[in-house]
Amino acid sequence: MKYPALKNYIDGKTIDYAGSTLEVISPLDGSVICTVPVSGADAVDKAAAAAKKAFPQWSSLPIRDRAQVFYRYKYLLEKNMNELAELIQEENGKTISESIAEVEKSIEVTEFACSLAQIAAGEILEVSKGVECRIERYPLGVVASITPFNFPTMVPNWTIPNALVLGNCMILKPSELVPLSANRIAELLKEAGLPDGVFNVVHGTKEVVEAICDHPAIEAVSFVGSTKVAKIVYARAASNLKRALTLGGAKNHLLVLPDANVGMTASNVAASMSGCAGQRCMAASAMVAVGSVDHIIKELVEEAKKIVPGKNLGSVISKEAKERIENYITEAEKEGARILLDGRNCKVEGKENGFYVGPTVIDFVKPEMRIAKEEVFGPVLSIIRTDTVDNALSIQHGSLYGNAASVFTQNGGIAKYISEKASAGMIGVNIGVPVPREPFSFGGWNDSKFGTCDITGKSSVEFWTKLKKTTVKWNPESQINWMS
Ligand code: NAD
């Protein structure tokens, strides 16, 4: 195996592990690259104890001192960019430029965290003569972050810098499919000067997640993954009276109008449906073609043909994922949809055991088909044809999800109308992947997110802190006595 057996990282050290393990398979070529612990509740208990022990000292530092660690961490992310990207590629299967983009977004989030002293400052006001009210933010204590396979570095970094700069201590439970990046993040945080116990990694599956949701020392749980598990985690953490924010799956609609710029729309839609092999919660999954847009569809297929597995298209995560995606395509074809570009049975020379699906474009998909309703999570675009903007919007509204929606048009009025009416948390106008950049926050609506805050940006400050309200009177002579 290329890497030694992975261990949990608790209290600044890797911990010897003797329990059961899973093989970690590189989806690029199907090879086993290491093993990952399938930890139990005891590991969560140890990590929670370490984090609880570290909390008083870490949280009592001035925020600017905590931020200093993350200035150094940002530098280390930059310095180790290529190595981090290679690791992401190896365990996840995405292309090297997509892996670099993931590290770049981690750097952007870290830069934002370094500026939190400005945003997290409290408020003070003299509310009546001689009486002051003050609001200050306090960290929650020990918090947990549970993350999915599709962004081994970026999604953990959505939570780590913000939560820690704000004074919390964390347990990260990464996806068992891509566990290597998490330990590398832990090493870089230590090198940046993070005190032991402030950040811990516990590897495993369902049992670790359940132990996190149940652990009395853990105050808050953030989760990013499928809607099915997001619901389970939200309900379990909340039933244990924890703060919870759980981001789920997606089915993103791109509404394309006949007046859209042809070249720009075709290349944006093709890039959105195929980037990271379609395994992005912001990926275009359905293109709602409004009216006569055949000229754009033709160009879109030409753009999609330029996306070549093994070159500018990475693999999907597993053999099971490849089979699931191909089954969706086959089922849609049987139900009468027309395959314009078929990515099934794709083989990459020299990587015959890798899990590749080629770019796939399917026309005449009906809203009631399974491929139109469910998250496919592969490089597959369904084209759903309709005649009016309002019908296109009702197709978008028919989705249970609500992560992102985009409109492609040159008409500002229609763009505004669709932006206002679409039922999604993140909207794009002439943008295929409308990810908000810092300090704007990331989070969807409907079944794409459970909980009140967003996971990044200013909104995350609300999630990772609690408010203390202090009322002060230092003037015994004051005649104002209604607050005495
Ligand atoms: P997943 O839900 O299978 O796994 C996510 C995490 O939950 C992993 O750490 C996993 O070990 C754990 N887990 C899995 N089953 C569990 C169970 N029954 N009980 C408790 N924990 C469990 O998700 P995934 O396949 O790793 O990631 C892909 C999904 O994540 C897609 O649906 C994608 O849309 C979604 N996603 C959403 C966002 C967003 O911002 N909304 C971002 C990235 C990914």
Side-chain angles (χ1 to χ4, degrees), residues 211-264:
I212 285 172
C213 292
D214 295 346
H215 200 287
I218 297 175
E219 303 291 339
V221 178
S222 77
F223 169 92
V224 180
S226 62
T227 290
K228 180 177 148 234
V229 184
K231 285 181 179 173
I232 295 170
V233 172
Y234 187 87
R236 190 151 179 159
S239 76
N240 283 310
L241 307 177
K242 296 184 197 313
R243 199 177 276 202
L245 174 62
T246 70
L247 275 62
K251 184 87 197 168
N252 304 314
H253 294 76
L254 307 188
L255 279 56
V256 175
L257 277 78
D259 73 333
N261 179 298
V262 179
M264 186 266 280

Side-chain angles (χ1 to χ4, degrees), residues 304-321:
K305 282 181 186 163
K306 296 180 196 162
I307 299 162
V308 182
K311 292 205 169 87
N312 55 353
L313 178 64
S315 60
V316 298
I317 190 67
S318 62
K319 187 166 168 282
E320 295 73 31

Side-chain angles (χ1 to χ4, degrees), residues 146-151 155 158 173-177 204-206 209-210 223-230 232-233 247-250 280-281 375 377 403 442 448:
I146 301 160
T147 54
F149 78 79
N150 62 334
F151 286 95
V155 172
W158 277 357
K173 205 304 274 175
S175 165
E176 65 278 18
L177 301 177
T205 57
K206 189 177 174 202
V209 173
E210 289 176 351
F223 169 92
V224 180
S226 62
T227 290
K228 180 177 148 234
V229 184
I232 295 170
V233 172
L247 275 62
R280 286 191 286 200
C281 63
E375 184 177 36
F377 226 50
N403 220 35
F442 188 102
S448 292

Side-chain angles (χ1 to χ4, degrees), residues 6-10 15-22 36-45 47 172-174 176 201-211:
L6 210 57
K7 297 176 183 177
N8 291 328
Y9 176 87
I10 297 175
I15 306 291
D16 283 337
Y17 176 79
S20 64
T21 59
L22 286 173
V36 59
V38 183
S39 314
D42 54 329
V44 174
D45 211 28
L172 172 70
K173 205 304 274 175
E176 65 278 18
V201 181
V202 178
H203 292 287
T205 57
K206 189 177 174 202
E207 201 180 329
V208 173
V209 173
E210 289 176 351

